[in-house]
Amino acid sequence: MLKDLRLGDGNNLGTADGRIALDCSIRETRQGHVCISTTDFFFPLVDSPYMQGRIGAANVLSDLYAEGVEYCDFVLMLLAACRDMPEEQRTICTKEMVRGFREACDEAETTVTGGQTVLNPWPIIGGVATSVVSKDEFVPSDGAQVGDVVVLTKPLGTQVAVNVHQWRHQDNSYWKRCLAGVITEETADNMMHEAVCAMARLNRNGGKLMLKYGAHAGTDVTGFGILGHAQNLSDNQIAAVGLDIHTLPCIAGTPEVNDQVMDFRLLKGYSAETSGGLMVCMSEESAREFCKELEERDGCKSWIIGRVVENAERKSRIVADVKVLSV
């Protein structure tokens, strides 16, 4: 749709042909530094406005971390207050969203220096994250090598978990089908808890360790799903490669809901994620050490989920005998 609009000038760094980048705009400044910037925003998917704000910050910062960047220099906040709420509720909700956003930025050791605010039918929060680095302080997204393994740092299934939570509040037919031997109320509680914890967790340590362990390429898994982002990554490589995904770690209960209640295309690789994990290509030896240290830092597991293979068509795929893990 946008091909004829000639966006970009072919001079982005970290992409095979200088095209508009996967996660961030990466540009060399006139002074010889590298400016890495990204923008994103988050619609309400959770009950808590504080958590909405925190997830919104984690989501926009994740794009920087997907480039192997540890430090964000500053953030501009994009905020939409809900015009349809009573004034008192709008004030409370907006302040809590901003508090959650700011505290996530505090944890990331960055600061909000400005932004834009509007009234909108739905409360929205997000921002623009920017980091200025030297050329050896980030990981270009185009260096995946045949034989690399693919690491994922958060489980899949947030879209399924959030929808089950909404069905439960609505007490609709989908929720009744869930309770008809698919999942229990306790499982639904755990699914939503795990989803919120994952979405709210910063990918900062993963980004930091990408450099330490010599990652060759990376992205984060969000709206296109695991296979959509794998395909975007393989399309972006210097080498003609594809990603073969052999393992899908999913929040416990989400595969059953996907198979028996509604097909979110979770196991096909196209279920949207919000503030998902990093998907990183690196040597197998480095990947095992990466996963070990990241678990020590974050207290959460990562998984080797695939392998980089030679593929003249740059085709990524989920293999026929894919292993589905409930985590």
Side-chain angles (χ1 to χ4, degrees), residues 167 173-175 177-178 182 256-264:
W167 297 341
S173 61
Y174 293 117
W175 175 240
R177 287 169 63 185
C178 286
V182 180
E256 291 79 7
V257 172
N258 181 83
D259 288 346
Q260 300 179 52
V261 180
M262 177 181 286
D263 184 8
F264 291 90

Side-chain angles (χ1 to χ4, degrees), residues 27-35 132-135:
R27 307 287 294 191
E28 185 172 357
T29 70
R30 293 186 303 277
Q31 298 78 21
H33 302 300
V34 177
C35 180
V132 180
V133 300
S134 63
K135 291 182 180 179

